[in-house]
Amino acid sequence: MSGIVALEKWPVLGRHERAAGWLQVWCDLGRAPRMIDAYARGLAEYLEVCEREDVNSLVVTCAHIALYVRELAERPSRRGANVFSIDSGAGLANATVRQRMVPVRLFYDFLMEEGLRESNPVGRGRYTPGRQRGGQQRGLVPRLTKLPWIPSEQQWLEILQVAREEPVRNRLMLALAYDAALRREELCSLRTDDLDPAHRTLRVRAETTKNRLERVVPYSASTGVLMSAYLAHRATISRARGPLFLSESRRKHGQRLTLWTWAKVVRRIALAAGVPRFATHTTRHLCLTDLARMGWELHTSATFAGHRNTDSTLQYIHLSGRDLADKLTRGMEHIHVSRIQMLTAGESESAGGSR
């Protein structure tokens, strides 16, 4: 998304010269269109609140930012009530509020660099020597860390039952999304030359990943069968190299399948299976959790997932309960042995005395 398109979509940005300039900087730096759109939307929402409250966005204080956070916390979610704080039960989700604050914070960083402000009114977590708990100071909006949701075995079977009736393209995409723990954009951006059917691997190009880390991941023999069937089917649509997954609609026949189309496919499957929480990212969560359950080493799982930091991978180990289960088993074994020894101590002494 270019700066001009963003200004057309969010007119409030055009009424604030500094905001438009900040957005153009990000566009000139070549940031991803989806990131630009998210930043433009977040800043536009903030500036609209400033206009409504008759506040000059260039001279706001931390108190004004706190009022904006409160407005977000009380804003009804389109998906219904969500939990912003432990006891609220309403408002936007914690992660959504934090996401909305990112462009606001970056905007004031920009104003500081331009010499228009001396400080940033949006607090952020930072390391402070001497503080307890590792010296970490909490940011303006505290992070609520939740484990990813994954379906139960029965829910997964319901999803698979519905998916069996889907065209081969959709079945292959669902299989690859789970098999290789692919993000939605990574899956939809696959190209024919990313495949290595001989070794059953595929290349996830750096420009399609979230953190710009290229990786090569394997897929199973079962998915390989689906791959062969789909490639034969794809040849009836187009024999040209390029995007692997093609649209078969009349309007976009033969063009690359978009993220939104795939999201609609997954949503339709989820509703038909009676598992509305199932989404395009669920297969990735499920795969990484299953790998943790199987005992994969942490760094191996991080490399497979394309995580730059193993902290992201740790949540799936926590979700699997593997570490807790192992510790519980070891602890119970020790307790079990000690209890049995106590029960049999008298018998051992009696046996020694009889000799």
Side-chain angles (χ1 to χ4, degrees), residues 218 290-302 304 317 322:
D290 285 345
L291 296 181
R293 287 167 174 165
M294 290 188 289
W296 272 40
E297 195 268 339
L298 178 62
H299 288 279
T300 303
S301 296
F304 181 79
I317 294 180
R322 189 189 74 199

Side-chain angles (χ1 to χ4, degrees), residues 106-252:
L106 294 176
F107 173 59
Y108 285 111
D109 281 344
F110 169 75
L111 294 182
M112 290 173 61
E113 292 172 359
E114 294 293 308
L116 299 174
R117 283 189 63 98
E118 294 183 355
S119 62
N120 192 326
V122 182
R124 68 178 74 194
R126 57 185 179 272
Y127 180 79
T128 304
R131 288 181 63 90
Q132 296 180 350
R133 298 183 180 180
Q136 185 65 32
Q137 182 174 336
R138 192 171 67 175
L140 182 67
V141 181
R143 178 191 297 271
L144 301 180
T145 303
K146 299 180 181 180
L147 292 176
W149 176 84
I150 61 171
S152 65
E153 285 300 312
Q154 183 58 42
Q155 289 173 323
W156 178 241
L157 290 176
E158 295 291 341
I159 292 290
L160 294 181
Q161 188 67 31
V162 174
R164 287 194 185 100
E165 306 301 321
E166 289 291 311
V168 65
R169 182 201 67 192
N170 296 348
R171 284 184 283 138
L172 173 62
M173 293 183 71
L174 193 63
L176 277 178
Y178 170 78
D179 236 2
L182 297 178
R183 301 179 179 95
R184 179 177 64 171
E185 187 162 359
E186 295 170 349
L187 177 67
C188 294
S189 299
L190 286 175
R191 298 178 61 86
T192 53
D193 53 358
D194 292 332
L195 302 178
D196 185 356
H199 297 92
R200 289 206 307 271
T201 61
L202 52 88
R203 178 173 64 104
V204 183
R205 286 169 286 116
E207 60 269 24
T208 69
T209 65
K210 183 178 180 180
N211 49 20
R212 299 302 185 255
L213 287 177
E214 184 169 304
R215 66 188 191 277
V216 175
V217 291
Y219 55 87
S220 66
S222 300
T223 300
V225 173
L226 281 174
M227 180 72 75
S228 298
Y230 173 68
L231 290 176
H233 173 71
R234 184 186 182 281
T236 64
I237 304 172
S238 173
R239 293 185 176 273
R241 293 186 176 184
L244 176 61
F245 297 114
L246 303 178
S247 172
E248 299 182 36
S249 67
R250 287 181 294 179
R251 190 164 61 93
K252 295 186 178 181

Side-chain angles (χ1 to χ4, degrees), residues 248-284:
E248 299 182 36
S249 67
R250 287 181 294 179
R251 190 164 61 93
K252 295 186 178 181
H253 190 79
Q255 298 182 29
R256 182 176 79 90
L257 191 74
T258 66
L259 304 177
W260 320 118
T261 301
W262 173 236
K264 289 178 182 178
V265 169
V266 172
R267 182 63 177 167
R268 174 168 49 78
I269 293 174
L271 294 178
V275 189
R277 295 188 67 182
F278 188 87
T280 54
H281 215 63
T282 305
T283 46
R284 177 175 167 85

Side-chain angles (χ1 to χ4, degrees), residues 54-71:
D54 195 22
V55 174
N56 186 343
S57 62
L58 299 182
V59 296
V60 299
T61 65
C62 187
H64 293 116
I65 297 296
L67 288 175
Y68 177 58
V69 172
R70 182 177 183 84
E71 195 272 341

